[in-house]
Amino acid sequence: IGMLNEIILISSKGVINLAHRQSKWTPLMQMSANLSDITSIRSFFEFRTLDPEGAVFYGDTKEGQDWFVLSLRDGIPEMQIGKADILVSVKGGRKLNDGAWHLLELRNEGKFVVLEVNNKVELVVGLHSKLVEDDLTGKIRLALGGMLVDKQKLFHPFEPEIDACIRGGHWLNLSTTWDTDSTWEPRPCFSEIKKGSYFPGTGVAMFNTSDLPGLKTEEAGITVEIFGSWTGTMLSLQSTGFEYILAVLDGNKDVKLGLKEGSESVALPREPETLTFTILKHSLVVNSVTELEKESLDFFSMWKKGMLLTFGGVPGDSEKAKSTHDLRGCLEKILVQGQVIDLDRALYKHTAVSSHSCPTEAMNELT
């Protein structure tokens, strides 16, 4: 890896982690070449993910007038192509989000684009427009983990962020390196992965509660269920003049509850790998034990209007945020009102947090 004019150059054949990027739609990396230099219309690479949705590989010509994107939806490959007045979207083949490495090959065969998975044809898309002729001049652009055209051009919109790794890539016949922004920090991939969301001890994921499932009955309240193994600050809940922090310290059963006007530590009867946080109209309950009662506050109304629910720590640069220990561990599942929460849908997620994968063994096991 080397620096050149504020651009980081990445080997096209190395291991590339698509998950840790700053911008939602902007590709993690890209390259370009003259069409006259292209002698092969075939690209192949190994791909691994547990994420059901996101942008994988993009290409275009004519500065984005003709474009192509390969993505996942429900774990299944989907190809979308835009050319002149035609938009095509085709989804099919086997699910790829099983955590195993798969060999993907994309190639052109005349007016068809072919996707092979593990040397078996899985998807074929044909496209023909009478309005344009093939032009072999100008440049071709390739990109990973995003798109170089506006998302409004998509026939079938999708969420672009993907927790995935790519290795051993051969991109057309190009030996060009990938370009990426100088602010990007390359992160390794775990050697083996399992389902879950991994917090390495740095970084948080934030949601506005108005975007999350709401109240069903006042008696049941609003429940946040967390499954996994962790230590540090599990979550914080913030609104104007109100802050609540829930932390598990050093893997023991002590849970620290912090409020702006003070903090206290209490011992709670909890299983080491589950935690249920329940919001009632005037109280907050952790694993069936009432830990905070505030008759002056209506938590149901505050949730509906929008509070900041943060997993993994306390957001911001305040002294409270700096004094708390960010979460370290694997959250196998987060449920709000019984619905699985996808960290890719967060209002903000730190680039160090992995949305859909955890290391299977030691927490520092990287490749």
Side-chain angles (χ1 to χ4, degrees):
I1 300 174
M3 292 291 293
L4 177 63
N5 297 330
E6 297 300 313
I7 295 291
I8 297 179
L9 305 178
I10 307 295
S11 168
S12 59
K13 296 182 180 181
V15 179
I16 299 169
N17 191 328
L18 298 183
H20 304 291
R21 59 186 184 199
Q22 302 284 354
S23 176
K24 189 170 185 177
W25 281 98
T26 302
L28 180 71
M29 50 190 64
Q30 59 186 285
M31 67 168 70
S32 65
N34 294 321
L35 279 168
S36 57
D37 295 333
I38 304 301
T39 59
S40 169
I41 48 178
R42 171 175 170 259
S43 295
F44 58 92
F45 54 92
E46 289 185 84
F47 175 79
R48 185 192 69 181
T49 190
L50 287 164
D51 198 331
E53 186 169 347
V56 180
F57 181 48
Y58 169 92
D60 72 24
T61 58
K62 303 177 184 175
E63 294 295 318
Q65 293 183 49
D66 295 347
W67 57 270
F68 158 91
V69 64
L70 171 68
S71 62
L72 292 189
R73 191 188 303 274
D74 303 319
I76 297 172
E78 181 175 83
M79 289 198 285
Q80 296 191 57
I81 303 173
K83 187 179 180 71
D85 61 329
I86 298 176
L87 285 176
V88 173
S89 176
V90 180
K91 170 185 165 187
R94 60 171 295 176
K95 287 197 172 189
L96 300 181
N97 63 329
D98 57 2
W101 286 102
H102 298 283
L103 177 63
L104 273 59
E105 178 178 320
L106 282 157
R107 64 178 183 271
N108 276 76
E109 293 183 357
K111 298 185 182 297
F112 295 89
V113 180
V114 178
L115 171 67
E116 278 192 9
V117 178
N118 300 330
N119 300 310
K120 179 184 177 184
V121 174
E122 294 282 353
L123 204 55
V124 179
V125 182
L127 183 67
H128 175 64
S129 173
K130 294 182 179 180
L131 297 183
V132 296
E133 295 182 359
D134 290 335
D135 184 1
L136 297 180
T137 62
K139 288 188 175 293
I140 184 172
R141 300 187 299 179
L142 305 179
L144 297 177
M147 294 172 47
L148 296 171
V149 293
D150 194 292
K151 63 181 179 180
Q152 301 299 327
K153 289 191 175 185
L154 288 170
F155 179 74
H156 193 183
F158 61 87
E159 287 292 330
E161 294 175 310
I162 190 165
D163 181 355
C165 286
I166 283 176
R167 69 184 184 189
H170 292 259
W171 314 99
L172 305 175
N173 60 295
L174 303 174
S175 58
T176 313
T177 51
W178 291 103
D179 296 343
T180 191
D181 190 87
S182 61
T183 60
W184 178 69
E185 296 181 17
R187 297 183 183 275
C189 294
F190 303 125
S191 59
E192 300 290 339
I193 57 175
K194 62 180 181 180
K195 289 184 179 180
S197 298
Y198 183 62
F199 289 75
T202 303
V204 300
M206 300 188 299
F207 291 84
N208 188 317
T209 58
S210 63
D211 298 328
L212 297 173
L215 183 69
K216 296 177 182 177
T217 66
E218 289 202 4
E219 293 76 19
I222 299 167
T223 60
V224 179
E225 299 170 271
I226 299 162
F227 305 85
S229 179
W230 66 84
T231 185
T233 302
M234 170 52 65
L235 61 82
S236 60
L237 195 59
Q238 295 170 308
S239 185
T240 304
F242 174 79
E243 184 177 68
Y244 172 89
I245 301 168
L246 177 58
V248 179
L249 305 179
D250 300 324
N252 62 26
K253 295 184 179 182
D254 285 346
V255 176
K256 180 181 179 181
L257 306 176
L259 299 173
K260 282 194 171 180
E261 57 267 28
S263 63
E264 58 179 318
S265 293
V266 296
L268 293 177
R270 64 176 288 270
E271 296 298 321
E273 295 190 352
T274 62
L275 189 145
T276 302
F277 177 59
T278 305
I279 298 170
L280 299 176
K281 189 175 182 67
H282 299 296
S283 61
L284 303 178
V285 179
V286 181
N287 285 5
S288 302
V289 178
T290 300
E291 297 302 339
L292 174 70
E293 290 189 80
K294 285 278 186 179
E295 289 296 326
S296 61
L297 298 177
D298 183 343
F299 290 118
F300 292 158
S301 177
M302 292 165 66
W303 181 279
K304 185 176 181 180
K305 288 180 180 178
M307 289 191 286
L308 194 61
L309 175 62
T310 303
F311 295 101
V314 179
D317 297 320
S318 67
E319 289 302 316
K320 176 75 75 175
K322 292 177 181 178
S323 66
T324 58
H325 296 284
D326 282 359
L327 184 72
R328 178 174 173 83
C330 179
L331 306 188
E332 296 170 8
K333 187 165 34 177
I334 302 172
L335 303 178
V336 175
Q337 293 294 69
Q339 296 185 29
V340 176
I341 299 303
D342 184 347
L343 296 190
D344 282 341
R345 307 297 198 268
L347 196 65
Y348 163 82
K349 179 176 70 68
H350 192 278
T351 57
V353 177
S354 298
S355 298
H356 290 273
S357 63
C358 297
T360 56
E361 301 297 337
M363 289 186 180
N364 61 352
E365 183 191 8
L366 300 172
T367 185

